[in-house]
Amino acid sequence: MSSYMERSATVKSVAAAMNKQVFANKIEKSGEFRKEYQMKGSKIATLEDAIIKSGLKDGMTISFHHHFRGGDKVVNMVVGKLAEMGFKNLTIAASSLSDVHAPLIEHIRNGVVTGISTSGLRGELAEEISRGLLKEPVVFRSHGGRGGAVMSGELHIDVAFLGASSCDPAGNASGYSRSENAKSICGALGYAIPDSMMADKVVIITDDLVEYPNIPNAISEDDVDYVVLVDSVGDSSKISSGAIRDTKNPRDILLAQMAAKVIINGGYFQDGFSIQTGSGGASLAAVKYIRESMIEKGIHASYALGGITAHMVKMHEEGLIHRLIDVQSFDRVAAESIKTNLLHKGVGANEYASTAEGSAVHYLDMVILSALEVDVNFNVNVLVGSNGVIRGAVGGHPDTAAESALSIVVCPLMRGRIPCVVKEVTTLVTPGSTVDVIVTEYGIAVNPRRPELAERLRKAGLEIVDIHELQRLAYDYVGEPDPLPFGDKVVGVVLNRDGSVQDVIMNILD
Amino acid sequence: MEIKNAVAGTLESGDIMIQIAPAEKEGLHIDLDSTVAAQFGRQIRAVIEETLTGMGVTDAEIKATDKGARDCTIRARVTAAAVRATGVDVWES
C-alpha cells in the first residue's frame, strides 16, 4: 500500500464511511495573469444578477447605510431596480434615511416597500409617513441600538446592499479609494459593518472596482457575496452639508462658550479624557474653545469619538487628541483622514455605541449634543419637529448620553417663535435620566441627579438656573404652544437602545 | 373708517407680513398662513384681531403670512399696516 493508486479501494471505503465523495481530480487551473483573472471573479455581478443570486424574496428585509447622507444614490438605485423586477412587501432596514429618499414614497404606494426601520427620516418621505403613508409604524433605533440589534439577530437582514467607494473582486470594501479612478469618498463605513457581518447575503455596490488586495478594508471579503460595479454610489460633496463652516451666529458662539466652560470645569477635563461632539454650529465652535484650553493647560485627550469632523482631525494632527474613533466621517477632511492617519480608526456601529461592554461610548467622558427640544425633566427630542412632523434622527444621541460621564445638551431657549425648553417633549428620544447638563443662552441647568456637578460649575463661577425657570422664560417670550393635532394612528415606534419600546409617534392631522 | 390697501412686514424668518384690504363683508377676515400654525395659529389670530380692534378697525380683509414672529412683532406689523391703511397715525396722537 505504498502507492496512492493501491490505496484507492481503501480511499473509497473510507469516503463511504465518512459519507464523503471520492476526490475526482477534475481541477481546472488557469494560467492567466492574476490581475486580469481576478476581474472575472465569481462575486462580480450586475445589480440584477446579484439580486437574483442573493435569493431575495417578497417579504424579506434589505438593508442600507447612510454614509453618503444627502448624497446617497444606493437606496434609490436598488429599490428602483427591485420595483422594476416586481418585488413586493419588502422591509427596509436603513441606518438612516433623508430628503434624497423621497422616491421611496412611490415604492410604498405601490406595495414594493411595506416596512421601514431607521435612525432618522427627513424631507417629503418623513412628511408623508407622519401623515400615515405606511401601514406599519416605522421603527426608530439609535445607532448603537441598531448595531446591537443587528449583531444579536433581533434585527435580521436578509440581503444587505452596501455602497462602498472601493471594493476588490473578493469583496474587500472601503469608504475611500486609493486608486486613480476614485469617484467617491465617505470615510468610515461604521453603519455598514454590522450588516456585512450578519446579513444572510451581502452585496457591495461600488463605483471603483479596484485590484485585490484593497487594504486596509472596512468590510471583509469573508462577509461579501457579490460585488456590483456602478457609475456612482454617492455624491461626496453632500456628506458634510456645510456643517464644517465656523459659525458666525452670535447665539451659537455664546452657546459654544458656555458649553466649553461646562466641559472645562465639569471635573472631567483631565489628561487622558475622551470626548464626542456633534456637527452643529455651537458644538463645532465649542471645540475651538476646548482646544485653546487644552493647549493652555497642557491637557491631551485619549480619544475623540464620532461623527469625526475636520476640527477633531486638526487636533489629532496637532497631537492634542491621541486617537480618533470614527463610525461615520462627518466631512471630507475626516473622510480623507481615515485614509491617511494611522490612529484614526473606523469602527462598526456596535463597537461604537451598543450596550456591550467595550463599545467606545462606554468609556466616553464627555459629549456635547444638540436638541430640537428639551423638557423640564431633561428629556430630549431630536426626532419630531414642533409641527408634529418627523424631521430628524435619533442618531447616537441616546447612546452617548447614556454612557458618558458627562452629557451636555446645547439648545437655544427658542427658535423663532418655537420654545425649545418645554413642559414635555413631543417625542421621548433621549431619557432625562441620562442627560446631565442643558446649556441655553439664558442659562445652564444641571440635572438634580448631579448635585456635585452643579457645585463644581458654581465654584467655577457659572450661574446655574432651574430648568423650570428656563421653560417659564421661554413661554413668557413666545406664549404657551397649543397641543399638536395628533391622530390615533401609530406611525413611529422609538426603541430604547436596550430594545424596549420607549415612545410612539402618532400621525399628525392637518 | 375708510380702508385702503396697505402692507407692512417682510417674509423673513421671525417676521410677519400683514396685508390689509377693504372689507368685502362686515367684520375682520383673517387669512393666516403660518409656519407655526399648529401651535400658535390661534394666538396669532387673537393678537391681530386685538390690535386692529384697539385701533378702531372693525371691517377689513387681512392676509397674514407669518414666519414665526413673536407677539410684539405681530403687533408692530399690524399697527404699521393699519396706520397705512387708515391714514390715522397712532404714533402722532
Side-chain angles (χ1 to χ4, degrees), chain A residues 78-145:
Chain A
V78 172
V79 183
K81 176 61 78 177
L82 294 171
E84 196 188 299
M85 291 169 74
F87 282 93
K88 295 280 178 206
N89 246 333
L90 298 169
T91 293
I92 292 183
S95 58
S96 206
L97 294 168
S98 63
D99 307 42
V100 72
H101 300 122
L104 288 181
I105 295 169
E106 271 317 296
H107 297 311
I108 292 170
R109 290 215 172 97
N110 296 335
V112 178
V113 175
T114 48
I116 292 180
S117 77
T118 180
S119 158
L121 274 183
R122 291 187 169 90
E124 268 178 76
L125 176 63
E127 182 97 28
E128 291 282 347
I129 284 173
S130 299
R131 294 185 195 287
L133 174 67
L134 258 180
K135 210 189 271 173
E136 293 296 315
V138 172
V139 176
F140 291 94
R141 287 185 181 86
S142 67
H143 290 327

Side-chain angles (χ1 to χ4, degrees), chain A residues 386 414 416-419 478-482 484, chain B residues 36 38-40 42-44 68-71 74:
Chain A
S386 59
M414 299 157 283
R417 192 175 183 151
I418 303 297
V478 298
E480 175 153 3
D482 287 339
L484 290 167
Chain B
V36 295
Q39 290 180 292
F40 292 104
R42 189 181 53 78
Q43 296 177 55
I44 294 166
R70 293 187 203 167
D71 286 354
I74 298 170

Side-chain angles (χ1 to χ4, degrees), chain A residues 481-503:
Chain A
D482 287 339
L484 290 167
F486 283 114
D488 51 17
K489 178 182 174 179
V490 176
V491 297
V493 176
V494 181
L495 296 186
N496 183 273
R497 55 202 298 271
D498 68 9
S500 60
V501 176
Q502 187 174 282
D503 200 357

Side-chain angles (χ1 to χ4, degrees), chain A residues 67 69 143 186-191 239-240 243-244 274-280 283-284 287 301-317 321-339 341 343-347 352 360 364:
Chain A
H67 287 284
R69 317 232 298 191
H143 290 327
C186 65
L189 278 180
Y191 304 130
I239 297 176
S240 67
I244 193 60
S274 56
I275 189 165
Q276 174 165 349
T277 62
S279 63
S283 194
L284 284 179
V287 173
S302 151
Y303 68 92
L305 181 61
I308 292 299
T309 61
H311 288 67
M312 290 301 189
V313 170
K314 182 183 167 204
M315 289 167 74
H316 173 60
E317 289 172 351
I321 300 172
H322 294 317
R323 286 162 174 79
L324 302 175
I325 302 180
D326 200 357
V327 69
Q328 170 192 26
S329 308
F330 264 160
D331 53 48
R332 180 75 188 229
V333 174
E336 294 281 355
S337 162
I338 205 166
K339 180 174 159 186
N341 283 317
L343 299 182
H344 182 168
K345 190 197 182 204
V347 292
Y352 160 56
L364 185 63

